Structure formats: structure tokens, C-alpha cells
Amino acid sequence: MSEKPSSILFAPGKRRGALRRVLLGGALMLGICQADAAPDNFTSIERGRVLTTAGDCTGCHTTVNGQSMAGGLALETPFGRIVTPNITPDDETGIGRWSEAEFTRAMQFGIRRDGAHLYPAFPYPNYTRVTRQDISDIYAYLRTVPPATNVVDRDTLPFPFNIRAAMAGWNLLFFTPGEFRPEAGRSEVYNRGAYLVEGLGHCGTCHTPRNLLGADSTRQTFEGGNLLSWFAPNITGDTRRGIGGWSVQEIVEYLKTGRNARSAASGPMAEVVMDSTSRMNEADLTAIATYLKERGAPNGTAAPAPAPAPLAASDASMRAGMAIYTDTCMACHTGGGGGIDLIFPRLAGSALVQQDDPTTLLRIVISGAQSAATDLAPTGPAMPALGWRLSDRQVADVLTFIRNSWGNAAPAVTEDQSRRMRATVAPQ
Amino acid sequence: MPFFTRRHLLAATALVTLTPHVPTAQAALGMPWSPNEAYPPTGARPGPWLYFTADEAATVEAIVDRLIPADELSPGGRDAGCAVFIDRQLTGPFGSHEWLYMQGPFSANPLPSQGIQSPYTPRQQYRLGLAALAEYCRGQFGGKTFPQLAPADQDRVLTGLEKGDIHLSGYNGVELFSAILANTMEGFFADPIYGGNKDMCGWKLVGFPGTRYDYRDVIANPNRPYTLPPISIQGRPDWNRNAG
């Protein structure tokens, strides 16, 4: 939110340094300070700031109340907890002593300054696609972030994952280094989008399912992935479960404001929108949307999987679900599941509602959720938690109902799935 | 040297004024919200009487069943759970008048605007009032208790209490009657989670929709019957697969 440099004096990262000197040296020094704060590589820093936003570096490298880029955020992975490093230019605890070449090697090959392997929780398999120039600009920008002293325990994974050298083997199997190459015959906008999505944007980190070793399951690119008890939905051209039915403009609106007439970003995507995409420029967002729309049918399959037949309305769970929906959900999401534009998400025809994996739905019904709040859509409407009022079976039944009504079709949700989600997100 | 110099003051002021304010997105935007946030009401505990003695409970059950007798429209006050509702209320903050100023003086002849003038909490009112009523019934009906009386005699006693024709020893009969009548109606129409209004029978009787709060579809269809069943805080039986 904060760092929009309007002048050289207020270039991010220089504010505090400049301020300290003003206070120490008195007003007379102000002019000198201004000169001191003005970098000779302003363009590079400014480009780097934009790229850092596009990469959402802050999403992992800044904690809720922590200093920008000072690390310390614990990422829960299937292999254990990884705590993100401090990437401020602090000499002792950050990357202050890293040369640009060392930084570039980390981005391109996942190798730390001391030669140790980084884990691919740091998405170097994506960042390797970033151009040399862009990496250089990101480095220039990160040099301007206020240095923060923050010691982070970088070795939290249990055996055998604590052996960083093992990542060399992982890299052999799953890692293809190399800069992005534009696809011939595609538009410039498409290739810009591909560059952002496959590179800095690292969308697949969440939206592509992972294999057993934590690598992108490349045959299922963008078909949706489970993380942190959320399900990052399918963003392929699948018309039922993906964004095949969304226009480029609708995708741009979603990324820019956090919602559109179809859906609203919540959970980790709300953070992505607030920290990253809402601050990106329209041209880049259009490029991303264009790439996602034009990259074609879901990978490896000629046609999207046929929609399953919806459950019959006479099914016992559907009938219970309808009663619960009528009494609990209808007031906002309306009787026909149409929702209210831009406030209450539409359930009829919703891709999120029809994901094969109901994780996000379970979580939202049990714990509630808040949509992204952005400059252009500052309300951030929230759905209240209903876990206190609905039993596990009732949660499952109401979800089964919304997944199989108004033209929707998706597998029924089970009481067991509901119980496990409650134990995770709302332990008693 | 002064402890706090002009220089300190200026520096401190400058610091406060110039310290960059870096609001987080969460603080600056969006409504306050946190996961799993809910303030569910405390429901009535099932099980035996919590405040009433067995004799008191039998008397109250007999009274509520005369105030709301069972008929073709609804169950009676007893089956609707009104006595249970009153028992559970008496154990809580209502029973101790936790919300009321309880120091004297108490006016014997108060203005209507002066509100409740009893020195007794509802718990004490029921205990003293029911004891006085039991004594009255023993004396007037040959040792019988109120529940043992024929319905017509019960009605005569209740009418006498209501009109002030019956004088109990040691307690104001009008006050006893009005307290039980008010609490019985509350039990019949309060949400079922508080022990009364069993199966939303009171709401079904008067056509109250319960905890619904959106009537756009209804308002859009004037002069059509409202068909949705009432709904309590706990839901309704149709929420469960095996209902009906």
C-alpha cells in the first residue's frame, strides 16, 4: 500500500535513511540528503520495484507485522516447515553482502551465496525464466529496501529433507534452467503474459498440482492445487472448472480489484491480489489474462473432461442441503445461486464451486472468509463462519447441494471431508 | 542542565511528525473480520430441573398448562417446555436480577414509570410465591396441592390471583401471577434453544418465520402465501438427512 515513490526524495528505502540524517544533521543538510538519496540507477530501481511486485516477493518474504522483505514467514510444506529468509540488504542477516552475480545465480539456479541449494519452495524453477536484465533490476530495487536485522532459522526441515545437497538430484529430475523463450507465431501480448505467468508470477506454484516430490505435475499444468487447506482452483480453459468462460476483461478485473461479477478472491489469492496483482499495470494484467485464455485446452487432453451428471434433487443429502441453503445461504447468495454482483459471489456456474476438490468451499463454510480489499474495491466483503451452527454432515450436505444445483455438477462432499477440515481450521 | 531541553522537544516533535506511516493493507482496507468468529447463544442445558424443587416444578407445569392449554392448534405450555424455560432462566442472570438496581427504597404504591419495585429477585419471587400458593391450596382444598386440583379449580385459583381476589400469606398473588404469565409467554415464543417453544410450536401457531432475515423474494410476490417453515437458531429438522 505504502510505497509509491512520488519523487526521488521519497523513493522507497531511502525515506528512513534520509530522515535519520535530517534529524541528526538539521534542516541545513536537507539538500545534500536529497542528492545523496537520488540513485543514479533510478530507472533500474523503479523497474525492479514493479517486477518485485509482479513476483509478489513480499508474499513470502514479509510477515504480517514484519518489516518489508525481512523474511521470517513460516511456509507449511508437505515436507515440513520452511522459514523464508531475510532479503533486505542487511549485511549480517540479509543479503547485503550478496553480489549481483550471486543473486542472479540464486534466481536462475536456486543456489545460495554459500553454494548450498535452496529448496524449490523458493520458485527458482519459475524465476529461471526471468531475463538477466529483469533480475538485475530486482537486485537494484532490493538494495534500496530498508535493511532489517532479522535472524531466520533456515534449517527447519526434518531429516532427510534437511540435506540440501539432495536438491541436486531433485533438480536433475524436475528443473529445467533457462530464460523464457517467446513462442513464435504468438502475439507480443501473449508472450508477455507467458513470461509473467511462467516466470515471476509463478502462478503454477499454487495452481498446478504437485507430485509426490513437490514438483509441478507438468501434465496437469494449472488444473488446480491444494495448499495450506485452500484449493487454488483450475485456471485452464476448462469452461466448467476453469476460466474458459471468463473474458480477458473479467480476468483483468479480478486481478486488479479482487473480484468480478463471477467470483471474489479470498484466502491466499486475496493476499496475492492485495500485495501483487492489484498494484500491477493494466497492460501486464491484460497480458496475463490473454496468455491464460489463449494457451489452449487443458494440458495433454484434447477436450476438457465431460461434466459429471449432477446429483438428483431427490437425493437425501441434496434435500437436506437445500433446506440448509434456504435457511442459511440464500439471503446473500439468492435463491437461484446468482449472488449479488461484486458483493456476494455467484454460485451458479461458479468454477470454484465445481472444483473436484472441495477444500476451499469446506473452509469458507466452516471458518468464513474475507475477500480481497483493494484500492478499487476497498470493502473486502466477508462471509461469516458457519461451523458453529452446522454439523459436519450439514456442511457436507449444503456443499453437495450447491455443487449440484442450477446447472452445477461436481462430486458430492462427504461428512468425513468436512470433519477433517474442521479439525484443521477450527479445532475445538 | 534541564532534564528536557528545547532541542529534545523539537527533535521529538519532528520524529512524531515525520516518522513514515506505513499502514498495512489489512489495517487500511476491508471490514474487520477474523476466521471462525461467532457468538453463539448459550442454549438451555438438557436434563433435570436446575432450580425448581420437584413440587415447585409440578406446580409451574400445571400453571403453564392452564395458561396455554393444549388444543388442536398447539401443544400445551408444559409440552412446549415453558416450565423448563423458566427453570433455566431462573438459574441465569435473569434469575438473580443481575441487570437491575436492587437496593431500596421499594415503593408500596409506585407510579407506573417506576418499574419493578419488588425487593425479591425472580428466584426469590418464585420460591416465596410458590410456597405461599402451596399453603393456600392446602388450606382451601383439604390438603391438596395445586397440581392435584381439577382444571376448573386451578382456573379459579389463577383467576383469583390475577384479579387480586385471593390473598396469599406472605406474598403478593398479583405479582406471582403476572410473573408466571409473562415468563410463560416468553418460553412459548423464545427460540427453542432456550428450552421452550418446542419444535417451534409457538412460531407455527402465529406464523412467525424465525431467524430468517431476507424477504426480497416474498416482497416481490405480494398476496401470495408465505410458505417457508420457521427456522430456529439451531436450524430445523429438515437440515438432517433422515428427517421426516
Side-chain angles (χ1 to χ4, degrees):
Chain A
M1 250 4 298
S2 50
E3 321 229 47
K4 281 190 189 135
S6 52
S7 72
I8 305 288
L9 179 62
F10 289 107
K14 289 296 174 188
R15 288 173 82 172
R16 271 172 235 208
L19 177 69
R20 202 174 299 131
R21 278 168 232 152
V22 170
L23 290 173
L24 288 175
L28 202 64
M29 295 285 285
L30 185 61
I32 299 165
C33 262
Q34 250 176 316
D36 180 43
D40 54 6
N41 56 348
F42 176 78
T43 308
S44 177
I45 291 171
E46 184 55 17
R47 283 192 85 247
R49 187 187 65 79
V50 169
L51 292 163
T52 303
T53 301
D56 195 14
C57 306
T58 198
C60 288
H61 288 284
T62 306
T63 58
V64 172
N65 292 312
Q67 214 172 313
S68 180
M69 304 296 179
L73 187 75
L75 304 177
E76 301 294 343
T77 77
F79 311 99
R81 157 183 291 215
I82 297 177
V83 187
T84 59
N86 180 345
I87 56 168
T88 69
D90 181 63
D91 276 355
E92 302 302 326
T93 66
I95 58 170
R97 296 205 176 120
W98 290 43
S99 69
E100 187 179 323
E102 286 161 347
F103 180 78
T104 303
R105 184 175 65 161
M107 292 284 280
Q108 292 182 324
F109 301 102
I111 306 287
R112 207 158 64 178
R113 179 168 183 257
D114 63 4
H117 281 274
L118 292 161
Y119 297 108
F122 171 62
Y124 63 86
N126 294 98
Y127 293 166
T128 193
R129 305 274 175 264
V130 180
T131 64
R132 187 73 178 72
Q133 178 62 52
D134 282 357
I135 293 175
S136 171
D137 293 339
I138 292 170
Y139 178 79
Y141 169 70
L142 288 176
R143 304 299 294 173
T144 70
V145 170
T149 305
N150 187 28
V151 181
V152 172
D153 181 0
R154 297 285 294 129
D155 297 299
T156 48
L157 283 186
F159 181 82
F161 307 113
N162 58 347
I163 305 169
R164 287 180 177 273
M167 285 299 113
W170 191 94
N171 286 345
L172 273 178
L173 287 171
F174 303 117
F175 177 48
T176 318
E179 260 185 45
F180 174 78
R181 303 221 177 285
E183 196 180 324
R186 294 282 198 171
S187 69
E188 203 175 312
V189 174
Y190 175 94
N191 275 314
R192 173 69 180 165
Y195 173 72
L196 287 167
V197 168
E198 307 289 350
L200 277 175
H202 65 288
C203 309
T205 303
C206 296
H207 288 281
T208 297
R210 321 232 121 224
N211 66 21
L212 282 176
L213 288 170
D216 286 5
S217 177
T218 46
R219 292 188 51 205
Q220 297 169 280
T221 298
F222 299 146
E223 289 182 14
N226 203 317
L227 81 158
L228 303 172
S229 302
W230 289 91
F231 188 76
N234 186 315
I235 53 169
T236 68
D238 186 315
T239 48
R240 185 172 63 89
R241 293 169 302 181
I243 52 175
W246 294 32
S247 67
V248 165
Q249 196 45 48
E250 282 175 323
I251 299 171
V252 170
E253 185 186 6
Y254 180 91
L255 295 172
K256 187 74 192 172
T257 68
R259 86 276 187 278
N260 60 21
R262 297 168 180 273
S263 197
S266 58
M269 191 63 197
E271 293 176 28
V272 170
V273 168
M274 290 193 281
D275 291 338
S276 174
T277 61
S278 68
R279 296 151 196 233
M280 291 173 69
N281 64 52
E282 196 107 353
D284 277 351
L285 295 178
T286 303
I288 288 172
T290 302
Y291 171 66
L292 291 176
K293 287 291 292 180
E294 293 181 5
R295 57 180 282 281
N299 281 25
T301 52
L311 263 80
S314 58
D315 182 274
S317 59
M318 289 288 283
R319 286 168 51 178
M322 184 169 81
I324 298 163
Y325 183 84
T326 303
D327 301 340
T328 311
C329 320
M330 201 173 86
C332 293
H333 293 283
T334 75
I340 303 288
D341 274 3
L342 309 181
I343 301 180
F344 305 125
R346 187 188 298 172
L347 304 178
S350 160
L352 187 67
V353 166
Q354 297 179 85
Q355 300 299 306
D356 294 338
D357 182 331
T359 294
T360 294
L361 306 176
L362 283 163
R363 184 186 186 118
I364 288 177
V365 168
I366 292 171
S367 287
Q370 183 162 37
S371 311
T374 57
D375 282 347
L376 291 174
T379 305
M383 162 144 164
L386 297 172
W388 66 274
R389 197 181 184 203
L390 301 180
S391 69
D392 292 334
R393 171 172 275 197
Q394 288 165 344
V395 169
D397 286 348
V398 74
L399 290 177
T400 297
F401 173 77
I402 67 167
R403 281 159 70 81
N404 290 279
S405 300
W406 321 299
N408 291 351
V413 179
T414 67
E415 189 177 359
D416 193 51
Q417 287 175 309
S418 177
R419 196 184 62 248
R420 275 182 280 134
M421 179 56 72
R422 191 191 296 268
T424 307
V425 299
Q428 296 301 304
Chain B
M1 184 175 148
F3 180 71
F4 194 80
T5 64
R6 180 183 157 84
R7 182 185 299 260
H8 281 133
L9 180 70
L10 287 174
T13 308
L15 193 66
V16 169
T17 318
L18 296 177
T19 299
H21 177 56
V22 187
T24 61
Q26 286 81 357
L29 294 170
M31 310 280 284
W33 178 87
S34 53
N36 301 313
E37 189 173 13
Y39 304 94
T42 310
R45 275 164 53 195
W49 302 106
L50 295 180
Y51 177 71
F52 290 143
T53 65
D55 288 344
E56 288 169 344
T59 302
V60 173
E61 287 204 308
I63 294 173
V64 301
D65 231 24
R66 290 320 298 161
L67 296 175
I68 306 176
D71 59 16
E72 70 280 7
L73 296 174
S74 81
R78 184 212 320 257
D79 289 343
C82 292
V84 175
F85 170 86
I86 295 171
D87 179 71
R88 301 306 192 260
Q89 288 298 311
L90 291 178
T91 60
F94 167 78
S96 59
H97 261 172
E98 207 170 87
W99 51 282
L100 200 64
Y101 179 75
M102 286 298 287
Q103 305 300 310
F106 299 100
S107 169
N109 194 16
L111 295 168
S113 60
Q114 286 178 299
I116 298 169
Q117 288 296 317
S118 171
Y120 302 120
T121 66
R123 279 205 278 271
Q124 294 167 323
Q125 292 168 25
Y126 272 84
R127 184 126 298 158
L128 296 169
L130 291 173
L133 177 63
E135 189 188 322
Y136 173 82
C137 290
R138 269 198 301 277
Q140 292 291 315
F141 298 99
K144 283 188 176 171
T145 64
F146 184 86
Q148 289 167 338
L149 303 182
D153 285 336
Q154 291 179 335
D155 285 356
R156 266 192 287 279
V157 172
L158 293 174
T159 308
L161 290 174
E162 180 182 21
K163 297 195 159 149
D165 297 339
I166 290 176
H167 295 279
L168 307 179
S169 74
Y171 201 81
N172 183 325
V174 176
E175 281 181 15
L176 176 67
F177 179 85
S178 64
I180 296 181
L181 177 63
N183 296 156
T184 301
M185 289 192 288
E186 287 160 7
F188 200 67
F189 294 116
D191 193 282
I193 69 162
Y194 300 112
N197 192 8
K198 188 168 168 29
D199 299 333
M200 299 176 274
C201 61
W203 293 352
K204 287 173 185 164
L205 179 72
V206 298
F208 180 68
T211 64
R212 296 188 193 286
Y213 56 94
D214 174 58
Y215 297 97
R216 282 168 302 176
D217 290 347
V218 180
I219 289 168
N221 294 296
N223 301 320
R224 297 252 202 91
Y226 177 84
T227 54
L228 287 177
I231 166 91
S232 89
I233 294 171
Q234 280 170 319
R236 59 182 162 104
D238 292 342
W239 284 18
N240 301 311
R241 279 186 212 173
N242 303 324

